Amino acid sequence: MTGDNAPRVLVVGGGPAGAATAIALRRELPGAHVSLVDKATFPRDKTCGDGLGPGARRVLDGLGLTELLKPFHMPMSVAISGPGGVEALARGPLMEGRDLAGYVTPRLALDDLLLNAARDAGAEVREGVAFEGMTAADGGREQVTLSGDDTTFDLVVGADGAYSTVRRAIGVERPAMRHTHIAMRAYGRVTHPDKPVSDTLRFDFLESLLPVYGWVFPLPDDGANIGVGLPVNHLKRQTARHGRKLRDLFDLYVEDLERRGFSVSGLERVAAHQLPHAAARTPMTAPGRAAVLVGDAAATINPLSGEGIFYGMAAGVQLAEHLGELDRSGTAWHGAGLPGALAGFERAHRRRFARHYRECYLAQQLMRSKTWAGIATRAVAASDEAMAHVALMLFDEQSAGSRGLLRLAAHSMRPLLRR
């Protein structure tokens, strides 16, 4: 559609999910008016591990944005350590015929680049504008209040993160705490006399801290994004039983790194954030509302790794493709057209990622056990194929290998069972 009948779409949130959605909407609906608003002004920081894996890289390739990644650091390996000092290493970027290449992309820079790409794609980008609420309007539209001004849109896309205001406005409940993690990250300098820190994305599942996991994602000049993540419920138990707060667990992880020979210094910009993960199966749409949720607002974070950028951007592209099909069919948006397209998008997203989310959640539950964490780490350390599968479970949409991984884990238990 073009002219006065062209749909008006509002994207709330200027992070990677929102920017990718706006760019994809401009590609699929060239006649539409696409607005993107964010209450912040860019560049702005965002609490994140900054890891951008092969899945996210593939989405950016599909949007023609590969050039945006050139300034960023690209580690070539992934290391996973578990109880007992066992460490598995995937040396990339190619392993077992799979492309594991990824980047470490500080959000202060990445989000600004993606927001400018949305502008270049023709979206109207408004920074420093707050989404304050919306109500259903006549004709199946939404009456939206933005920084005190009311405007009507044909569709509102909530890409406004874990604490989504759009989600609350359409009556979708936030995920239960049992399906929510919390993470703390900092920037610092990390070196090791023997290990190539600057070349390796590191995940640590440590016997003394499980189910807490830690990460070190390298940046240029020995810099790194360092952090810990854990279930919110476990943090509450740690606080109640031992008086440990999130910063205490972060400090324990840094101490463990130093016991293993790493040097950690210059920690700064320490910040925390909640991570609602995909096992919650949060609805992406609400009956009778011209609205849809993507990214952290829809709780599509990987339950195993805490990675959310890939899934948010992938959902935005899927949504735009379904709306593009609706627009090209000539079907009116209001009536059965838009609700059908939104329902079709949600079904398609669930079909694409449901098995992956389930298997990552299963792996996350297993890694909470010291016994299973040790078994799993030994299993992937013994098999390049299993390690490649795990790397793609962490940063892509790998599913098929997890059953084989469980078989490897069972195999590695046999010596224990014979004792």
Side-chain angles (χ1 to χ4, degrees):
M1 282 183 244
T2 58
D4 293 339
N5 294 323
R8 291 174 52 81
V9 182
L10 173 68
V11 180
V12 182
T21 300
I23 294 165
L25 286 169
R26 288 293 304 146
R27 180 177 67 180
E28 296 290 337
L29 301 169
H33 181 82
V34 178
S35 297
L36 188 157
V37 299
D38 197 292
K39 63 184 178 182
T41 55
F42 287 64
R44 60 94 178 92
D45 195 11
K46 197 74 172 178
T47 308
C48 184
D50 297 339
L52 204 69
R57 191 197 70 237
R58 195 169 58 250
V59 174
L60 293 176
D61 287 347
L63 292 173
L65 300 176
T66 306
E67 293 292 312
L68 295 185
L69 295 176
K70 282 190 173 181
F72 297 113
H73 187 57
M74 187 175 76
M76 292 294 180
S77 303
V78 177
I80 300 173
S81 72
V86 178
E87 182 167 299
L89 183 67
R91 299 187 184 278
L94 295 177
M95 186 174 185
E96 294 291 308
R98 301 167 187 269
D99 187 352
L100 305 180
Y103 296 82
V104 181
T105 56
R107 297 287 297 278
L108 188 68
L110 175 68
D111 291 17
D112 193 42
L113 288 171
L114 288 173
L115 198 67
N116 285 326
R119 281 194 184 93
D120 293 341
E124 177 194 27
V125 175
R126 300 171 62 193
E127 301 176 50
V129 174
F131 172 90
E132 296 176 349
M134 67 184 192
T135 57
D138 293 339
R141 296 173 173 83
E142 296 288 340
Q143 187 78 15
V144 180
T145 303
L146 299 173
S147 292
D149 294 328
D150 290 344
T151 310
T152 301
F153 290 92
D154 297 282
L155 175 65
V156 177
V157 182
D160 51 340
Y163 310 104
S164 173
T165 307
V166 175
R167 183 181 64 220
R168 293 199 299 271
I170 62 175
V172 174
E173 293 186 4
R174 66 170 296 159
M177 285 298 104
R178 71 179 184 277
H179 294 312
T180 303
H181 284 198
I182 189 166
M184 176 171 278
R185 74 98 228 260
Y187 290 97
R189 186 172 184 270
V190 181
T191 59
H192 192 283
D194 303 313
K195 298 178 185 293
V197 178
S198 65
D199 195 44
T200 305
L201 293 167
R202 169 170 293 277
F203 279 94
D204 292 315
F205 296 89
L206 303 173
E207 185 171 346
S208 61
L209 291 178
L210 288 174
V212 181
Y213 64 91
W215 71 80
V216 177
F217 290 174
L219 292 164
D221 302 320
D222 294 327
N225 181 309
I226 310 160
V228 293
L230 71 157
V232 169
N233 287 343
H234 179 75
L235 177 61
K236 290 179 178 178
R237 288 192 293 271
Q238 285 284 306
T239 302
R241 295 174 184 173
H242 309 292
R244 288 177 176 171
K245 297 183 179 180
L246 184 58
R247 180 58 193 258
D248 298 320
L249 295 172
F250 175 88
D251 291 342
L252 286 170
Y253 175 55
V254 172
E255 290 174 12
D256 188 88
L257 286 170
E258 291 174 337
R259 276 196 298 271
R260 288 183 284 145
F262 293 89
S263 173
V264 182
S265 61
L267 293 176
E268 61 179 8
R269 291 163 62 190
V270 182
H273 197 62
Q274 287 192 5
L275 304 168
H277 62 71
R281 290 188 59 84
T282 299
M284 304 176 85
T285 58
R289 303 304 297 267
V292 60
L293 305 172
V294 298
D296 293 9
T300 56
I301 290 173
N302 185 318
L304 180 60
S305 67
E307 206 279 330
I309 293 175
F310 163 47
Y311 309 98
M313 294 198 303
V317 172
Q318 277 187 303
L319 171 65
E321 290 170 349
H322 278 76
L323 294 174
E325 291 175 7
L326 171 64
D327 200 55
R328 289 186 291 273
S329 74
T331 304
W333 274 44
H334 301 291
L338 181 60
L342 296 181
F345 152 70
E346 186 165 8
R347 286 194 302 270
H349 183 83
R350 299 294 185 201
R351 281 197 303 269
R352 177 177 175 182
F353 289 105
R355 182 178 175 186
H356 170 68
Y357 289 150
R358 281 196 308 272
E359 295 182 356
C360 287
Y361 181 61
L362 172 62
Q364 179 237 95
Q365 294 296 296
L366 290 174
M367 294 301 285
R368 296 173 72 159
S369 158
K370 294 177 183 179
T371 300
W372 280 103
I375 289 169
T377 310
R378 286 194 298 273
V380 296
S383 167
D384 286 348
E385 181 182 6
M387 184 60 195
H389 280 313
V390 170
L392 292 171
M393 286 178 73
L394 292 169
F395 289 109
D396 206 327
E397 54 190 294
Q398 180 68 46
S399 294
S402 58
R403 290 180 181 175
L405 185 60
L406 289 176
R407 287 195 297 271
L408 279 170
H411 177 74
S412 69
M413 278 191 71
R414 287 174 188 168
L416 299 175
L417 296 175
R418 294 192 191 106
R419 291 178 183 175

